Amino acid sequence: MPRRDSLWFHPGFRLLWAGDTVSQAGTFVGQTVLPLLAATVLAATPGEMGLLTAAENAAFLLIGLPAGVWVDRMRRRPLMLRADFTRAALLLTVPVAWWAGALSLAQLIVVGLLVSVGTVFFDISYQSYLPSLVGREHLLEGNAKLQTSQSVAQVAGPGIGGGLVQLAGAANAVLATGAGYLASALFLLRIRTPEPEPEPHDGTPLRAQIAEGLRFVFGNPTLRAVVLCTSGGNFAGTVVISMQVLFLTRDLGLSPSAVGLVLAIGSGGGVLGALTAGFWTRLIGQARSIWLVPLVTWPLQLLLPLARPGWSVALGVLGLAVTGYGIVVYNVAQVSYRQAICPDRLLGRMNATVRFVVWGTMPLGGLAGGALGETIGVRATVWAGCALAAVSMLPVLLSPLRTMRDLPVSRPAPTTPDPAHPGPRTPPGRSASTPPAPR
């Protein structure tokens, strides 16, 4: 049974968790449906698939840094609501255009780009909103639960997306993604936990505020190593993702429903990773969870390009599952650390700076994947992306993290407690992100 101070009993967090869960489910359904729509209905080439993947991630590179300043100037929950409603409306245009016989690849690319703008504001806002909602002593638990939702969505989303494409057609299946964003907004609307007012704008120019966020992130050696590791992994992963549907459908000869099943099973490792992230943090320490778990798990993604039509498809599934497990454990540890060390007034800029770098590499990875797919072929591109992903943990492996068990943190300014759920206080002498001593 969960303890009374667990986030299971925090009404505001439960609503945020529910909203994030359905939003993530819609996102992963869409990440299967849109590429299948482009590949099977619009006959997209490898270069066009790479361009679509780049558009879906381009906003972090284009507006990520100023978005962090804007998030710090405003309340986060209203921004999340606007992002949900905007993304739902944009995705609705896809089936409407299909019914009218006017759907084109250009529209998919534009919709993907604009939806990614909404995702920028939603993601920066929710990561900046969580500390004020639950308190910093609950960040590890909160991130683990939210990561569990994302991992479950990764499992269920591709399977649901592939099945919907098979049953209703790819354009109609896009409706499921929009419905996920609408449901997310309805949950967020019900949160009653007071959100602290942002600090009033002091007239500091936008450029100076962006620079302050950059200095905070890159002036910290451990945080800098985490950012470099994550950005390299995201670039490599997007190279693979840009060719993944083509690889599974054309090289391995799988149907849309089988593609969804393979991606769903492969993502199952992420669910287990989210459920066990706290265990590994307590057992080996937060610092070791950031470098040791990726070292052991990420190289196994090289099993994916070994797959051939037939039984060896299982190799690709195994590689995806083990890699997904390691990525989720790594993410829970490093995101909780980032949130714990950052003052409230810088949370938006810190998260935006990190996202600008680590997500900004993703459109570049999509373009690189498309170009490589056109020149060296789909399978060779998957090999290249998986090989780069296997060594992307080197920045954290070669950083001061390798000599630590737990991460040093600086105590941030106190936050306004939640009157509905005050929670336990951090004991003197222990940082808010340090796991409790074994009982």
Side-chain angles (χ1 to χ4, degrees):
M1 294 292 294
R3 299 177 306 176
R4 293 298 303 180
D5 63 349
S6 167
L7 292 180
W8 285 104
F9 299 99
H10 190 303
F13 177 78
R14 287 202 307 266
L15 289 169
L16 174 65
W17 192 11
D20 181 68
T21 298
V22 293
S23 177
Q24 294 287 353
T27 296
F28 285 104
V29 168
Q31 286 182 357
T32 302
V33 168
L34 288 179
L36 281 172
L37 176 60
T40 61
V41 176
L42 300 179
T45 66
E48 290 170 336
M49 292 292 287
L51 188 59
L52 176 61
T53 303
E56 290 177 319
N57 299 285
F60 278 101
L61 186 61
L62 297 176
I63 65 165
L65 290 177
V69 176
W70 297 325
V71 167
D72 279 338
R73 293 178 181 177
M74 293 178 269
R75 288 187 172 182
R76 283 78 187 247
R77 188 172 71 99
L79 276 176
M80 295 160 65
L81 287 167
R82 294 184 196 117
D84 273 340
F85 286 126
T86 300
R87 290 184 291 180
L90 287 166
L91 288 166
L92 181 62
T93 67
V94 174
V96 169
W98 172 254
W99 299 332
L103 183 64
S104 66
L105 186 65
Q107 180 182 346
L108 282 188
I109 292 172
V110 171
V111 168
L113 175 61
L114 295 178
V115 166
S116 74
V117 172
T119 300
V120 167
F121 285 99
F122 185 92
D123 284 0
I124 294 174
S125 297
Y126 110 78
Q127 287 198 342
S128 304
Y129 180 55
L130 184 64
S132 66
L133 179 67
V134 305
R136 294 174 186 268
E137 66 273 16
H138 289 290
L139 285 177
L140 190 63
E141 181 189 359
N143 282 313
K145 285 179 166 55
L146 292 171
Q147 191 67 62
T148 300
S149 294
Q150 184 179 24
S151 300
V152 171
Q154 282 181 297
V155 172
I160 294 171
L164 286 173
V165 170
Q166 198 84 19
L167 292 173
N172 294 327
V174 176
L175 286 172
T177 305
Y181 292 136
L182 285 176
S184 170
L186 293 177
F187 280 113
L188 294 175
L189 280 169
R190 296 178 57 201
I191 296 176
R192 295 293 179 262
T193 304
E195 182 180 352
E197 286 281 354
E199 292 189 9
H201 179 42
D202 60 2
T204 304
L206 179 68
R207 183 179 301 178
Q209 291 185 293
I210 291 174
E212 187 178 8
L214 288 166
R215 285 194 300 272
F216 180 84
V217 170
F218 289 100
N220 184 307
T222 55
L223 188 53
R224 183 170 62 244
V226 166
V227 169
L228 294 175
C229 170
T230 309
S231 60
N234 280 352
F235 177 85
T238 313
V239 170
V240 176
I241 289 171
S242 66
M243 294 295 106
Q244 191 166 251
V245 169
L246 292 180
F247 178 67
L248 295 174
T249 56
R250 298 180 187 178
D251 286 58
L252 302 187
L254 300 180
S255 67
S257 59
V259 170
L261 182 62
V262 166
L263 295 179
I265 296 173
S267 299
V271 178
L272 186 59
L275 295 174
T276 58
F279 166 79
W280 287 116
T281 300
R282 292 187 295 272
L283 180 66
I284 65 176
Q286 193 173 9
R288 291 175 186 162
S289 297
I290 291 176
W291 68 265
L292 182 57
V293 172
L295 178 65
V296 173
T297 59
W298 293 5
L300 291 180
Q301 191 171 352
L302 288 166
L303 292 173
L304 176 62
L306 289 174
R308 302 283 175 177
W311 68 267
S312 66
V313 171
L315 288 175
V317 175
L318 177 62
L320 291 173
V322 175
T323 305
Y325 180 91
I327 289 172
V328 169
V329 174
Y330 165 84
N331 277 337
V332 170
Q334 61 94 0
V335 170
S336 300
Y337 165 62
R338 281 165 32 198
Q339 292 169 331
I341 66 171
C342 186
D344 285 343
R345 68 180 187 84
L346 282 174
L347 275 169
R349 277 168 283 173
M350 179 275 293
N351 286 317
T353 300
V354 172
R355 287 297 180 102
F356 169 75
V357 179
V358 306
W359 286 61
T361 60
M362 295 175 72
L364 303 179
L367 294 174
L372 288 172
E374 293 280 5
T375 54
I376 65 176
V378 171
R379 183 181 293 272
T381 301
V382 174
W383 268 114
C386 290
L388 184 57
V391 299
S392 60
M393 85 292 293
L394 286 177
V396 291
L397 183 62
L398 300 176
S399 75
L401 288 166
R402 193 165 49 87
T403 63
M404 303 177 187
R405 184 187 188 279
D406 292 301
L407 292 164
V409 301
S410 57
R411 185 179 298 278
T415 57
T416 303
D418 176 5
H421 183 80
R425 295 287 183 262
T426 303
R430 178 185 295 164
S431 66
S433 67
T434 303
R439 295 185 180 274

